[in-house]
Amino acid sequence: MASSLPAPPTASWRGLLHSLRPPPRRGTLLTRAAARSNRYRFRTDDHGVVDVTVAGKDNGGGAAGYAVAVEVLPARGRERGLVLRAEGSDGEVVPLAPAPASEAGGALAVELSYDGARAPFHVSFLLADAAGAEVRTHRGTSFRVPVGVGRGRPAPLGMSLSDDGSANFAVYSKSAKGVALCLFDSRGGEEPALELELDPYVHRTGDVWHVSLESVEGYASYGFRTGLFALFGIDRPLLDPYAKVIGNFVPDETVNEEGIAVPSVRCHASLEKAPGYDWGRDRHPSLPLEKLLVYRANVALFTKDKSSGLPDNVAGTFSGLAAKVEHFKRLGVNAVLLEPVFPFHQVKGPYFPYHFFSPMNLYSSEHTSISAIKSMKDMVKTMHRDGIEVLLEVVFTHTAEGGAECQMISIRGIDGSSYYIADGIVGCKASVLNCNHPVTQRLILDSLRHWVLDFHVDGFCFINAPFLVRGPGGEGLSRPPLLEAIAFDPVLSKTKIIADPWSPLDISNVQFPFPHWKRWAEMNTRFCMDVRKFLKGEALVSDLATRLCGSGDLFFSRGPAFSFNYVSRNSGLTLVDLVSFNSDEFGSEFSWNCGEEGPSENNAVLQTRLRQIRNFLFILFVSLGIPVLNMGDECGHSAAGSTSYKDRGPLNWRALKTVFVKEVTGFISFLSALRSRRADIFQRREFLKLENIHWYGSDLSEPQWEDPTSSFLCMHINPELDENVPDSGRGDLYICFNANEESVSATLPALAEGSMWVRLVDTSLAFPGFFYSESNPKVHQVLGFSSYQIKAHSCVLFESKRVLS
């Protein structure tokens, strides 16, 4: 029999359905829904069985609706007189009638009809016998079934839209006793327009909660409510960790565990699907690791200044970065390493992310997620077209959630005990992610694959890498499952993966033995420190020699191409400040002010600083490994002696027109071309053979390896023989490094008859003569066994050439 069961008052549905403003539904969508049906089975508290089938139906006149068929196989003694009543209602009851003869004997049935425009919603009812005794589920609850709502699928996590308009939602939460899906309409507001509580017996598979909706038309965004912190007044809808399109982060106020109101933010996931993107013929440059020349940049600060000459809506965005591609090409850069582009805490900075699957909205002209997605893809496409790879710094060891501000935006409120290390590490509390927990590992791998497959990113640099080897108790793991999974993942196998020991949590930067499987490269902190110490006159020359040859003490089992070398980075002193400040507070920076602290007008001091800048760049480029330039070092960018990341200002593009910057950028361009031309020495996957390197002091004697006062070293490199390369292109190299306060006379080794040394670089000379010019090659020629004065605080490079008769 058919009946129209009155719906109970909205207030009594609060636990399962909260529908203040149900959006209108279109008949075409409901017509598609009519092809679907879902069946639910319940055991009753008197050992009976209740089957409920929900299916779409035509209500006539083209109006689509739903039929809810209830079939009961009652317990013995209740075969007759059963009625169905809406939960919380003393109104109309609907009697059950014997099922058709084709069905199982003794079954009772009733069919309820509902207007499709109300979907999605829940039907909640009880059964009662002739004596008025209620029949409930074996759990003592009413019978509740969703209408316009399906069980959903546990995979993939996040929201997935089908072509027919249906949507599936899945979220991992082991801790939550219940999960509600909250849908918001375009009018906004803090309260959801629709809230559906998921039945753990229907909408849960393992620890994944899932649900499907026939349509999400009329809604704009969604979130999940778990109730884990409801006792502390924190029960807001949370951002889906797997959302691909998100809204803006909105300032909010929450109550922490002490009952104190603190500032916070909230954000919802968009129900809008990211539009398709035409990649055309875009291809990953797939450059060999040893060929890379990397430039580290912050998307906003790179072009934010008005001196960039870009429109206001382009400056400081992905589009602004793409507009300056010629700058990278002039420097010889073929890989751009971007500081984190995930949505981040705007006070703490980009190294404190909220989310891992979307680019920062502010990095686009329209400040929306959709705009940021398109803008970033355009930027990647532009870079690839010019042979430049795009690498991302990523932070997967901690988030901006937790801490004193009690931030709860996403995974901390969804399942903090699984995603985070419960007691934290080094005072970081709940913000430290449990990276090697299976669910967190899955989140990280899914994020990395997303950036490679959907954004065509070429590689990743993992900030705070030491934390990636931690177990759930903070203990070190010899074979961290996350790092091993990344190393052998089929999607990530062609990307660059780099470990960076710098930690934004405690501002530490310590090199340590990193598990690598011959896949992981590393940011070489030891290179930075040893080069700084040598140029300051405080390091053993043996330390410099080790760094020049590719840091074999650190990369002996991988090769020099896995060493990413740098002399300055975005935390600590800039390159200009490194040669301008050295007060006690900069002791760990190993800087030297060249004779006067801070800004100076002393010409002698300025000339020494200029030499030191050239020396830093020179050593960076003639060392085996991958050179990493830091944004602004080519432009004399200064933070006025501050080592704080927050004090970094935007790049001043007007500086590019100054003589100082023209000579520095010209020097970088020359050095990058030299590395390319002499790839046999500077761009290698293997270390140089011992028989091809000879070390000397000033007079071709043995260097003073163990003398802490010695600051002079010469390096003679004989190229390996290659029948396919003419001798003229494979001359010997002789490189001298003098960090002394006085000049040192160096004797050049003898050469084969018909060859002569040609000076390519002398950092002590005036611009433009300090690096080789083809205009007058004879000026640079030096005979073997000749003496050459290596001026104080300078470096010199010679290359042997055949002399034409």
Side-chain angles (χ1 to χ4, degrees):
M1 68 181 286
S3 175
S4 178
L5 186 71
T10 300
S12 67
W13 290 47
R14 181 62 179 86
L16 289 173
L17 170 68
H18 181 53
S19 181
L20 300 178
R21 302 183 297 275
R25 296 290 175 193
R26 294 183 181 175
T28 54
L29 292 173
L30 293 174
T31 301
R32 291 199 295 268
R36 304 176 187 273
S37 65
N38 293 289
R39 187 171 181 177
Y40 306 89
R41 168 161 286 188
F42 301 88
R43 286 189 293 116
T44 67
D45 56 5
D46 62 354
H47 307 294
V49 175
V50 176
D51 288 322
V52 183
T53 302
V54 180
K57 64 174 290 186
D58 186 352
N59 284 341
Y66 288 94
V68 179
V70 181
E71 186 174 289
V72 182
L73 188 62
R76 187 175 298 278
R78 285 181 170 167
E79 291 85 354
R80 295 291 182 267
L82 281 179
V83 297
L84 183 150
R85 183 178 72 240
E87 182 187 20
S89 173
D90 297 325
E92 177 188 359
V93 296
V94 181
L96 278 71
S102 59
E103 300 293 335
L108 304 174
V110 67
E111 182 180 296
L112 312 174
S113 296
Y114 290 93
D115 180 4
R118 297 178 53 199
F121 58 92
H122 280 84
V123 172
S124 181
F125 62 88
L126 299 171
L127 297 175
D129 62 14
E134 292 183 343
V135 179
R136 296 175 178 266
T137 71
H138 73 287
R139 292 177 281 135
T141 64
S142 62
F143 302 91
R144 299 183 179 97
V145 294
V147 178
V149 179
R151 287 188 177 91
R153 306 179 305 277
L157 292 174
M159 181 194 71
S160 50
L161 291 172
S162 300
D163 293 338
D164 62 0
S166 64
N168 188 79
F169 300 85
V171 62
Y172 175 95
S173 182
K174 182 179 181 179
S175 304
K177 302 301 181 183
V179 172
L181 173 66
C182 303
L183 301 180
F184 298 82
D185 61 24
S186 57
R187 287 176 287 187
E190 294 188 9
E191 289 298 317
L194 177 69
E195 183 168 330
L196 294 169
E197 185 174 332
L198 308 187
D199 188 331
Y201 289 85
V202 177
H203 299 288
R204 186 174 186 176
T205 302
D207 294 323
V208 177
W209 300 75
H210 47 81
V211 64
S212 62
L213 303 182
E214 300 288 355
S215 170
V216 291
E217 185 178 348
Y219 298 105
S221 60
Y222 72 96
F224 294 106
R225 194 194 301 272
T226 63
L228 288 175
F229 292 84
L231 292 176
F232 303 104
I234 307 172
D235 194 23
R236 76 181 84 185
L238 302 164
L239 175 64
D240 180 2
Y242 276 78
K244 306 304 188 296
V245 182
I246 66 175
N248 290 321
F249 288 88
V250 180
D252 200 0
E253 188 176 87
T254 190
V255 179
N256 65 15
E257 298 179 7
E258 287 76 33
I260 302 173
V262 293
S264 184
V265 295
R266 56 184 169 84
C267 179
H268 297 147
S270 174
L271 287 165
E272 186 176 2
K273 188 176 182 180
Y277 185 80
D278 182 11
W279 283 101
R281 297 184 178 181
D282 180 74
R283 295 178 59 187
H284 292 279
S286 297
L287 300 171
L289 198 61
E290 65 272 15
K291 301 290 185 183
L292 293 185
L293 172 53
V294 181
Y295 185 101
R296 189 201 310 258
N298 176 285
V299 174
L301 297 181
F302 189 62
T303 60
K304 189 176 182 179
D305 193 85
K306 289 187 177 295
S307 62
S308 68
L310 299 175
D312 291 342
N313 66 333
V314 175
T317 68
F318 292 117
S319 299
L321 194 76
K324 297 296 185 180
V325 68
E326 289 300 322
H327 180 66
F328 301 129
K329 292 169 66 177
R330 282 193 295 270
L331 294 176
V333 166
N334 57 16
V336 175
L337 174 61
L338 301 182
E339 291 181 19
V341 300
F342 299 168
F344 57 81
H345 194 291
Q346 292 190 52
V347 175
K348 294 181 179 178
Y351 293 98
F352 292 85
Y354 287 129
H355 189 58
F356 302 129
F357 286 86
S358 59
M360 183 69 172
N361 293 3
L362 296 179
Y363 287 169
S364 70
S365 58
E366 299 175 14
H367 292 182
T368 66
S369 190
I370 292 290
S371 173
I373 290 170
K374 182 182 183 303
S375 181
M376 182 173 176
K377 291 179 178 179
D378 286 342
M379 180 271 295
V380 172
K381 190 175 179 180
T382 298
M383 295 294 178
H384 284 181
R385 188 169 57 243
D386 286 291
I388 299 174
E389 293 194 340
V390 178
L391 313 176
L392 299 184
E393 286 189 339
V394 290
V395 180
F396 289 120
T397 58
H398 60 276
T399 71
E401 292 189 298
E405 296 177 355
C406 198
Q407 297 281 355
M408 189 176 300
I409 295 97
S410 185
I411 56 179
R412 185 169 187 246
I414 289 174
D415 192 357
S417 62
S418 294
Y419 284 107
Y420 289 105
I421 293 177
D423 298 326
I425 299 176
V426 296
C428 302
K429 296 185 179 180
S431 64
V432 178
L433 285 169
N434 191 357
C435 299
N436 288 291
H437 185 285
V439 66
T440 315
Q441 177 181 325
R442 178 182 178 184
L443 176 77
I444 294 171
L445 287 170
D446 287 344
S447 171
L448 295 173
R449 294 179 190 126
H450 172 66
W451 291 103
V452 173
L453 296 175
D454 204 43
F455 286 83
H456 290 202
V457 165
D458 301 286
F460 305 93
C461 179
F462 294 77
I463 299 298
N464 201 19
F467 274 39
L468 296 174
V469 306
R470 303 286 185 110
E475 72 280 7
L477 303 176
S478 59
R479 293 188 64 174
L482 172 63
L483 301 185
E484 187 170 7
I486 292 173
F488 296 105
D489 185 85
V491 173
L492 306 175
S493 62
K494 300 296 184 183
T495 65
K496 278 76 177 178
I497 50 175
I498 310 152
D500 190 338
W502 180 72
S503 170
L505 296 175
D506 54 7
I507 317 298
S508 64
N509 199 10
V510 181
Q511 204 86 31
F512 77 107
F514 195 81
H516 55 79
W517 296 275
K518 291 190 176 181
R519 280 283 292 120
W520 283 85
E522 295 179 50
M523 286 289 174
N524 192 343
T525 300
R526 288 284 301 277
F527 178 93
C528 173
M529 294 298 102
D530 285 346
V531 172
R532 291 184 181 189
K533 289 179 182 179
F534 173 78
L535 290 179
K536 191 179 181 182
E538 295 181 353
L540 293 174
V541 291
S542 56
D543 294 334
L544 176 65
T546 301
R547 304 306 150 219
L548 291 170
C549 292
S551 297
D553 56 337
L554 302 174
F555 299 94
F556 63 92
S557 61
R558 282 171 281 179
F562 289 87
S563 173
F564 278 62
N565 303 329
Y566 65 94
V567 292
S568 67
R569 61 173 302 142
N570 48 7
S571 62
L573 294 174
T574 68
L575 182 55
V576 164
D577 291 350
L578 194 61
V579 300
S580 304
F581 298 88
N582 70 319
S583 60
D584 293 341
E585 62 182 293
F586 303 125
S588 62
E589 294 287 324
F590 300 104
S591 58
W592 177 47
N593 62 21
C594 301
E596 187 174 324
E597 188 71 5
S600 173
E601 295 182 1
N602 185 310
N603 188 61
V605 170
L606 295 176
Q607 287 302 314
T608 304
R609 290 178 180 178
L610 179 57
R611 288 189 192 184
Q612 289 291 77
I613 289 173
R614 294 172 179 175
N615 293 338
F616 274 115
L617 293 172
F618 177 76
I619 295 176
L620 178 65
F621 276 81
V622 300
S623 298
L624 271 67
I626 312 304
V628 180
L629 289 168
N630 200 50
M631 184 187 81
D633 282 349
E634 80 278 21
C635 299
H637 193 55
S638 171
S642 172
T643 59
S644 172
Y645 176 83
K646 295 179 181 179
D647 289 335
R648 294 298 171 97
L651 207 60
N652 180 5
W653 287 86
R654 285 187 293 270
L656 287 171
K657 299 178 181 179
T658 64
V659 174
F660 165 74
V661 174
K662 285 181 179 179
E663 71 171 83
V664 172
T665 54
F667 190 38
I668 293 173
S669 179
F670 167 81
L671 291 172
S672 63
L674 173 67
R675 283 182 62 88
S676 180
R677 180 173 67 81
R678 293 310 307 266
D680 60 310
I681 292 176
F682 299 123
Q683 297 179 348
R684 301 175 57 90
R685 286 192 84 87
E686 302 83 24
F687 291 103
L688 290 164
K689 296 178 181 178
L690 291 177
E691 59 266 28
N692 294 114
I693 311 175
H694 309 279
W695 302 99
Y696 299 109
S698 60
D699 55 358
L700 298 182
S701 61
E702 183 75 10
Q704 300 174 33
W705 294 118
E706 303 302 325
D707 184 355
T709 65
S710 175
S711 298
F712 184 84
L713 182 68
C714 293
M715 180 184 189
H716 184 191
I717 305 174
N718 306 125
E720 298 177 19
L721 297 178
D722 187 340
E723 297 178 354
N724 298 320
V725 179
D727 290 343
S728 60
R730 302 290 295 269
D732 291 7
L733 295 181
Y734 196 68
I735 314 175
C736 306
F737 308 89
N738 183 17
N740 291 293
E741 294 287 344
E742 303 85 19
S743 297
V744 176
S745 179
T747 302
L748 277 64
L751 292 170
E753 187 176 352
S755 295
M756 183 173 288
W757 290 112
V758 174
R759 188 191 68 228
L760 300 185
V761 174
D762 184 341
T763 61
S764 70
L765 299 178
F767 177 75
F770 73 91
F771 58 90
Y772 180 70
S773 171
E774 292 282 356
S775 60
N776 191 0
K778 289 188 177 182
V779 173
H780 307 281
Q781 291 180 1
V782 184
L783 294 172
F785 284 137
S786 295
S787 292
Y788 189 93
Q789 287 296 116
I790 313 297
K791 298 294 179 61
H793 305 297
S794 66
C795 301
V796 183
L797 167 64
F798 300 93
E799 183 179 26
S800 66
K801 297 280 188 180
R802 297 288 294 178
V803 179
L804 298 178
S805 56

